[in-house]
Amino acid sequence: MTVALLVLGGLGIAFILIAVLLARAARRAREQLDAHGLLAEAEVLMVWQEVAGYRVRYRFTPPGAEKPVVRSEISACLRALVPEPGDTVQVRYDPRDPLRRARMLAPDESRPSG
């Protein structure tokens, strides 16, 4: 019984450490994208509700690209702020890998600063 509790405790600690490391890596990736990513306008193709929020599928064409990039991501915005199909939104993307490294900007991030 004690060995089983030790194993379960170890698994719990390992799970927590992995979750912290993944969250840190995601934050670093977002900071890199915010610092070095390029802006583009994207057209919203579809919006549907999921358990974690609203999934938004959008399309944008990076300069010089042969074909558009289509991505979807969860939008944690309030329903009133979720774009509708046909809307134009701002995205920030990594020009080296726009298919895998891009994110839709929230309305307050799209406004020019200053």
Side-chain angles (χ1 to χ4, degrees), residues 29-37 92:
R30 181 178 172 152
E31 289 170 353
Q32 283 289 103
L33 191 58
D34 287 346
H36 305 291
R92 188 174 300 278

Side-chain angles (χ1 to χ4, degrees), residues 16-60:
I16 290 169
L17 287 174
I18 289 170
V20 167
L21 291 173
L22 289 174
R24 229 182 247 168
R27 187 181 70 234
R28 266 192 237 117
R30 181 178 172 152
E31 289 170 353
Q32 283 289 103
L33 191 58
D34 287 346
H36 305 291
L38 300 178
L39 290 174
E41 284 192 347
E43 176 190 6
V44 176
L45 303 173
M46 293 175 61
V47 178
W48 64 97
Q49 191 168 4
E50 292 190 353
V51 174
Y54 292 89
R55 183 162 293 274
V56 179
R57 178 167 290 145
Y58 57 88
R59 171 179 55 214
F60 69 100

